[in-house]
């Protein structure tokens, strides 16, 4: 197989949650630039609609708050109106909450778990028929869950629900992979390290500097770094990956 075919995503229909900024935006731009159609969602309508307009006719925006089951149902129904199949689903929408142990609030637990874990499972469930419609024995549909290195090691930041949620996402990925492979759907995960985003902008400068110093490659992630992994996992190049977690952190998780 030629390399342009091995890594091609041209003609694919891709759903990206949390698709208006940060890692979601990086993935969306990569897929549109390589010939895919993307369906983007995020809670803020102005953000996701603005990005879709910028990306052009290959991008569609459906604002939704995926922390709510009714919104998951509505979003899935709207996706079905736009397309008869979904080749790739990126479960990327996420939230974080930081507080000291003694004062960590219930709202900070529930908000993070609902969007980071609950929505991953139930949106995939609600889109399963569209994924099956794209899947064949020779070309599996893909579900790609965005975890974090914080689900693989103990962070120095007190983001209890975030770390627990990302560990849950990684194990949920393995559970889904085992049970959906028989339906010709491959499920994998990406565990990013430090990529500049609104979420990481809230990290204290002292910790950010320490994490950079502990990163063997001595730099932060870039849009091209995320694009390469995201395109690989949605293309024929990753056809035999199922239940894998691709850690993209410049080596940081190996040192802490």
């Amino acid at each position: 197989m030629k390399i342009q075919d091995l890594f091609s995503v041209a003609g694919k229909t891709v759903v990206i949650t949390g698709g208006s900024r940060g890692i979601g935006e990086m993935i969306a731009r990569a897929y549109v630039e390589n010939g895919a159609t993307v369906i983007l969602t995020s809670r803020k309508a102005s953000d996701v609609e603005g990005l879709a307009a910028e990306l052009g006719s290959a991008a569609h925006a459906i604002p939704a708050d995926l922390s709510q089951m009714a919104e998951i149902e509505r979003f899935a129904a709207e996706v079905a109106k736009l397309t008869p199949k979904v080749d790739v689903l990126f479960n990327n929408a996420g939230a974080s909450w930081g507080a000291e142990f003694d004062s960590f609030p219930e709202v900070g637990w529930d908000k993070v778990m609902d969007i980071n874990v609950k929505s991953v499972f139930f949106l995939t469930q609600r889109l399963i028929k569209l994924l099956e419609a794209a899947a064949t024995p020779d070309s599996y549909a893909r579900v790609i869950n965005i975890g974090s290195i914080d689900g693989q090691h103990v962070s120095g930041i007190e983001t209890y629900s975030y770390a627990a949620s990302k560990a849950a996402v990684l194990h949920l990925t393995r559970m889904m992979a085992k049970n959906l492979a028989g339906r010709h759907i491959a499920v994998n995960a990406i565990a990013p390290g430090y990529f500049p985003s609104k979420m990481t902008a809230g990290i204290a400068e002292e910790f950010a500097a320490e994490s950079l110093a502990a990163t063997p490659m001595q730099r932060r992630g870039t849009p091209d770094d995320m694009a390469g992994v995201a395109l690989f996992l949605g293309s024929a190049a990753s056809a035999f990956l199922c239940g894998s977690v691709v850690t993209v952190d410049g080596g940081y998780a190996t040192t802490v």
Side-chain angles (χ1 to χ4, degrees):
M1 183 181 288
K2 294 182 178 179
I3 193 168
Q4 58 263 39
D5 297 323
L6 195 61
F7 289 91
S8 176
V9 295
K12 291 183 181 291
T13 299
V14 184
V15 172
I16 305 169
T17 72
S20 67
R21 64 191 183 200
I23 287 173
E25 179 181 353
M26 296 175 196
I27 295 170
R29 289 185 183 277
Y31 271 82
V32 168
E33 289 170 5
N34 286 279
T37 296
V38 299
I39 300 171
L40 308 174
T41 188
S42 74
R43 186 173 56 85
K44 293 186 178 180
S46 59
D47 289 352
V48 72
E49 289 170 353
L51 179 60
E54 181 184 342
L55 293 177
S57 60
H60 305 273
I62 305 174
D65 179 0
L66 298 182
S67 67
Q68 307 295 320
M69 277 300 301
E71 285 286 272
I72 290 174
E73 296 274 9
R74 181 183 66 80
F75 175 69
E78 291 296 320
V79 171
K81 292 177 184 178
L82 279 176
T83 178
K85 66 181 180 67
V86 172
D87 297 284
V88 186
L89 166 62
F90 280 94
N91 285 308
N92 168 69
S96 185
W97 194 292
E100 294 182 354
F101 183 86
D102 289 352
S103 60
F104 200 96
E106 183 180 11
V107 65
W109 189 270
D110 292 346
K111 176 183 177 180
V112 171
M113 286 295 180
D114 283 350
I115 190 64
N116 291 15
V117 184
K118 184 177 179 180
S119 75
V120 170
F121 180 83
F122 285 103
L123 181 59
T124 306
Q125 183 190 69
R126 295 311 195 263
L127 292 179
I128 195 70
K129 296 301 182 185
L130 296 182
L131 289 160
E132 287 184 310
T136 71
D138 296 323
S139 181
Y140 279 36
R142 311 296 171 84
V143 175
I144 302 163
N145 300 325
I146 307 301
S148 170
I149 57 170
D150 280 5
Q152 298 174 306
H153 76 107
V154 179
S155 170
I157 305 175
E158 290 186 277
T159 50
Y160 296 100
S161 55
Y162 178 78
S165 75
K166 291 305 184 179
V169 166
L170 299 183
H171 195 63
L172 178 59
T173 296
R174 300 180 185 101
M175 289 284 293
M176 292 166 66
K178 182 175 182 178
N179 289 287
L180 296 183
R183 299 164 81 166
H184 305 131
I185 300 168
V187 185
N188 295 292
I190 299 173
Y194 193 113
F195 281 75
S197 68
K198 184 176 181 180
M199 185 181 294
T200 58
I203 296 175
E205 288 186 12
E206 180 181 359
F207 181 82
E210 289 176 358
S211 68
L212 179 60
T215 301
M217 295 186 77
Q218 290 291 290
R219 67 174 179 85
R220 305 300 189 199
T222 69
D224 284 349
D225 295 325
M226 184 53 60
V229 173
L231 292 169
F232 166 68
L233 288 176
S235 70
S238 62
F240 203 45
L241 267 65
C242 189
S244 296
V245 176
V246 181
T247 302
V248 191
D249 69 345
Y252 176 74
T254 67
T255 67
V256 293

